[in-house]
């Protein structure tokens, strides 16, 4: 302060010089940072350019793969035959057995290095005479409900008549006293969430009602269950699917209501809580039966013991033709083998068509069991079971390093509108290979229409678009080519 009072001008000049020095140093430091960032950006650009240049030969091959898939109609013709001549392929049924023979014949016609059957024990459940359900009003009037038995359900052994209690959450079920549930039919009416952009997420959030509802209800004394169909559509089509039972818990009849019938029943219960539903189901669980996975192989020219599997499931539910689930996956897998054969893969590519995905996944479990005992190296497994709609990407389960390696190929798929490689694969058949194969990969498709027809009488050939089917084939074949060439 003394200096300032004696010569304030000198102090101000000195402060100005200090400020200029600070600003100069700051600008210089920022310039150095900017220069360093520019060098990093330049280095990254060089890496990206080198990577793009390295992928040019692969991009040329993938273009040819797409041209082959998009100009050949055989997969669509095969799907027409499968759905119209063989039809729905319930596990253990004659139709499933016919499909096994037909698929084996098609693979043999491709001239693969080997085609063979792998024996699998599968459950044999039959639906029987068409199910019936009626809502009985207090005046004695009967109102028909659209219903179907869930796969694996026990029968009603005549007409089951009981009052109904509506449940919309597990917490609600747990909070009710047992006397309010005992002797009643529990109606699980939690809708799929329409706010999710990805409909599959809504399905995964709601499917627990179908899977575990009969167990939870039986433990509280219920005599049967009705489940709202797993779809965002409002229609009269009930959606089947597997129901689970526990050995120590009484097995009670389990059925699905169409969304319109579920709404009808819910509205009626709001005004008359003590309504009765009459349910009649004639399904039957027969002794297990032998079926087969169908396997076809192209042996790798350089690394024959490194195995890449590509596949889908043979069986379907019995309400329709099983076109989308999973007829599309079957014919795509066969077409992938046709395309890959001409590319002479360096690693072995193996088509696996699995039985019994819908009601126990015994085909996938058997393949994984034998693969674990084999000296072969399971490189990766790819599955197509997303409905045959427009392919949007792939879902991958692998270590971070392996997943990142696969993602380096993403720019090869962008020109074909295959936009992503996300985590959490969704293939049921390849799931048992976790810990055996380095990567599990499922084809991801546009799912906005999938659950409108999923497990219903509407799953028919006319719902499949040939172009979408071919695009899915091309995406799978391209990934097979890259894996067979570069490995993991």
């Amino acid at each position: 302060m003394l200096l300032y009072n004696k010569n304030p001008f000198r102090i101000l000049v000195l402060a100005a010089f200090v400020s200029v020095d600070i600003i100069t140093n700051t600008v210089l430091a920022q310039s150095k940072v900017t220069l360093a960032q520019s060098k990093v950006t330049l280095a990254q650009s060089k890496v990206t350019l080198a990577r793009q240049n390295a992928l040019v030969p692969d991009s040329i091959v993938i273009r040819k793969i797409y041209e082959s898939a998009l100009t050949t109609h055989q997969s669509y013709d095969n799907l027409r035959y499968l759905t119209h001549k063989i039809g729905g392929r319930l596990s253990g049924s004659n139709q499933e057995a016919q499909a096994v023979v037909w698929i084996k014949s098609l693979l043999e016609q491709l001239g693969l290095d080997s085609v063979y059957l792998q024996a699998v024990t599968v459950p044999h459940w039959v639906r029987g005479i068409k199910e019936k359900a009626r809502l009985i009003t207090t005046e004695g009037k009967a109102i028909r409900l659209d219903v179907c038995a869930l796969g694996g359900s026990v029968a009603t052994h005549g007409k089951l008549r009981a009052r109904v209690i509506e449940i919309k959450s597990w917490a609600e079920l747990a909070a009710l006293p047992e006397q309010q549930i005992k002797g009643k039919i529990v109606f699980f009416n939690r809708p799929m969430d329409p706010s999710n952009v990805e409909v599959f997420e809504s399905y995964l959030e709601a499917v627990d009602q179908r899977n575990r509802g009969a167990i939870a209800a039986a433990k509280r004394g219920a005599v049967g269950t009705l489940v709202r169909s797993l779809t965002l559509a409002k229609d009269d089509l009930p959606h089947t699917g597997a129901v689970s039972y526990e050995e120590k818990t009484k097995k009670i009849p389990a059925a699905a209501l169409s969304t319109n019938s579920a709404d009808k029943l819910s509205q009626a219960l709001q005004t008359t809580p003590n309504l009765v539903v009459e349910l009649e189901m004639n399904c039957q669980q027969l002794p297990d039966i032998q079926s087969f996975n169908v396997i076809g192989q192209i042996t790798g020219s350089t690394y024959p013991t490194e195995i890449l599997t590509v596949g889908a499931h043979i069986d379907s539910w019995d309400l329709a033709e099983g076109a989308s689930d999973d007829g599309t996956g079957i014919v795509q897998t066969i077409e992938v083998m046709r395309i890959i054969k001409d590319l002479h893969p360096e690693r072995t590519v193996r088509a696996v068509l699995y039985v019994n995905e819908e009601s126990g996944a015994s085909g996938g479990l058997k393949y994984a069991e034998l693969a674990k005992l084999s000296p072969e190296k399971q490189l990766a497994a790819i599955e197509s079971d997303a409905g045959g709609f427009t392919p949007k990407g792939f879902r991958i389960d692998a270590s971070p390093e392996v997943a990142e390696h696969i993602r380096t190929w993403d720019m090869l798929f962008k020109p074909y509108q295959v936009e992503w490689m996300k985590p959490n694969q969704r293939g049921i058949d390849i799931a048992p290979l976790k810990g055996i194969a380095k990567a599990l990969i499922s084809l991801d498709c546009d799912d906005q229409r999938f659950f409108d027809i999923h497990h219903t009488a509407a799953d028919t050939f006319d719902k499949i678009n040939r172009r979408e089917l071919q695009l899915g084939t091309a995406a799978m074949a391209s990934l097979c080519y890259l894996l067979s060439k570069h490995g993991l």
Side-chain angles (χ1 to χ4, degrees):
M1 181 62 71
L2 181 63
L3 290 173
Y4 181 85
N5 290 335
K6 287 184 177 180
N7 197 340
F9 180 74
R10 288 183 62 193
I11 297 299
L12 289 173
V13 170
L14 180 61
F17 276 114
V18 170
S19 298
V20 169
D21 189 51
I22 292 171
I23 293 170
T24 300
N25 289 336
T26 300
V27 170
L28 182 60
Q30 289 175 339
S31 298
K32 289 180 178 179
V33 169
T34 301
L35 180 60
Q37 290 174 337
S38 298
K39 289 181 178 178
V40 170
T41 301
L42 180 60
Q44 290 173 337
S45 298
K46 288 181 178 178
V47 170
T48 301
L49 183 60
R51 183 178 152 204
Q52 289 174 337
N53 289 337
L55 293 176
V56 167
D58 291 331
S59 69
I60 294 171
V61 175
I62 288 174
R63 177 65 256 175
K64 291 179 179 178
I65 288 173
Y66 269 82
E67 287 175 357
S68 179
L70 294 175
T71 57
T72 304
H73 298 177
Q74 190 59 53
S75 60
Y76 194 63
D77 293 339
N78 285 343
L79 183 63
R80 181 187 290 109
Y81 183 93
L82 175 65
T83 54
H84 290 178
K85 300 297 183 180
I86 297 177
R89 304 165 299 281
L90 194 62
S91 182
S93 67
N94 289 332
Q95 289 84 356
E96 183 191 62
Q98 292 172 32
V100 165
V101 172
W102 176 74
I103 292 167
K104 182 173 182 287
S105 174
L106 289 182
L107 292 175
E108 289 171 339
Q109 290 172 33
L110 294 178
L112 306 183
D113 294 325
S114 63
V115 178
Y116 57 97
L117 301 179
Q118 187 176 75
V120 182
T121 300
V122 302
H124 188 194
W125 177 84
V126 294
R127 186 173 299 278
I129 300 170
K130 183 175 173 58
E131 310 89 331
K132 296 178 183 178
R134 302 191 302 170
L135 169 62
I136 310 299
T137 68
T138 52
E139 296 82 17
K141 181 181 177 183
I143 301 173
R144 185 176 70 87
L145 300 173
D146 295 299
V147 67
C148 71
L150 293 179
S153 175
V154 296
T156 56
H157 302 292
K159 294 179 180 179
L160 171 64
R161 275 197 175 206
R163 291 180 178 178
V164 180
I165 185 163
E166 183 177 9
I167 299 295
K168 293 189 176 181
S169 71
W170 295 115
E172 187 178 350
L173 179 65
L176 286 171
E178 188 168 310
Q179 60 268 26
Q180 290 190 29
I181 302 173
K182 191 172 184 178
K184 294 182 179 178
I185 294 173
V186 174
F187 168 34
F188 291 96
N189 193 31
R190 172 162 39 100
M192 284 171 52
D193 184 358
S195 67
N196 289 328
V197 173
E198 191 176 354
V199 183
F200 208 104
E201 290 296 329
S202 300
Y203 173 79
L204 293 176
E205 292 167 2
V207 72
D208 55 352
Q209 301 170 99
R210 189 195 74 201
N211 290 343
R212 300 192 291 112
I215 296 172
K219 287 181 175 179
R220 305 300 305 282
V223 296
T225 64
L226 295 170
V227 181
R228 182 187 187 90
S229 284
L230 299 176
T231 179
L232 294 174
K234 292 297 184 72
D235 57 30
D236 297 320
L237 296 173
H239 293 230
T240 192
V243 62
S244 297
Y245 290 121
E246 286 181 349
E247 198 61 40
K248 296 181 180 179
T249 302
K250 183 181 178 181
K251 296 179 181 180
I252 59 177
L257 287 176
S258 72
T259 50
N260 282 346
S261 288
D263 289 342
K264 185 188 301 182
L265 178 57
S266 180
Q267 291 164 9
L269 289 170
Q270 290 176 23
T271 56
T272 312
N274 293 325
L275 286 173
V276 169
V277 163
E278 180 183 276
L279 180 63
E280 186 175 4
M281 303 196 309
N282 300 280
C283 33
Q284 187 178 5
Q285 189 72 52
L286 301 174
D288 290 352
I289 193 171
Q290 187 180 71
S291 188
F292 301 91
N293 292 334
V294 185
I295 300 175
Q297 179 171 301
I298 305 167
T299 303
S301 59
T302 308
Y303 308 98
T305 61
E306 292 190 22
I307 311 301
L308 164 63
T309 68
V310 56
H313 65 88
I314 296 172
D315 62 309
S316 73
W317 290 108
D318 56 323
L319 298 179
E321 299 169 352
S324 174
D325 187 16
D326 189 20
T328 53
I330 294 171
V331 299
Q332 285 173 331
T333 298
I334 295 169
E335 184 71 354
V336 166
M337 297 303 283
R338 178 192 70 80
I339 294 170
I340 290 295
K341 180 176 180 292
D342 292 337
L343 298 176
H344 308 290
E346 294 184 34
R347 290 165 174 83
T348 294
V349 180
R350 179 180 292 163
V352 184
L353 288 310
Y354 307 88
V355 289
N356 185 229
E357 185 268 354
E358 297 288 5
S359 50
S362 53
L365 289 166
K366 174 58 71 173
Y367 180 81
E369 174 192 335
L370 297 179
K372 190 173 183 179
L373 299 174
S374 171
E376 299 170 336
K377 298 175 183 178
Q378 298 296 324
L379 184 71
I382 304 172
E383 182 167 356
S384 173
D385 188 17
F389 299 103
T390 302
K392 305 297 289 184
F394 295 99
R395 291 185 175 269
I396 307 166
D397 275 357
S399 68
E401 296 78 16
V402 169
E404 185 56 35
H405 176 70
I406 296 172
R407 289 192 187 98
T408 62
W409 302 326
D410 60 357
M411 66 177 65
L412 291 167
F413 289 93
K414 292 293 173 63
Y416 307 101
Q417 301 178 15
V418 177
E419 297 293 335
W420 61 67
M421 292 187 179
K422 296 180 178 180
N424 303 320
Q425 77 86 20
R426 290 170 172 167
I428 299 298
D429 288 307
I430 62 176
L433 287 168
K434 190 174 182 65
I436 302 173
K438 286 187 176 182
L440 306 180
I441 307 169
S442 58
L443 180 67
D444 212 15
C445 296
D446 187 326
D447 60 3
Q448 300 306 317
R449 292 169 289 154
F450 184 38
F451 292 99
D452 292 354
I453 64 175
H454 185 245
H455 293 182
T456 75
D459 186 4
T460 50
F461 175 75
D462 60 292
K463 306 302 190 305
I464 305 305
N465 177 275
R466 176 175 57 81
R467 185 79 173 177
E468 292 177 326
L469 180 72
Q470 293 168 325
L471 286 168
T473 297
M476 292 171 64
S478 298
L479 186 57
C480 282
Y481 157 73
L482 292 168
L483 287 165
S484 67
K485 178 181 176 182
H486 298 288
L488 290 176

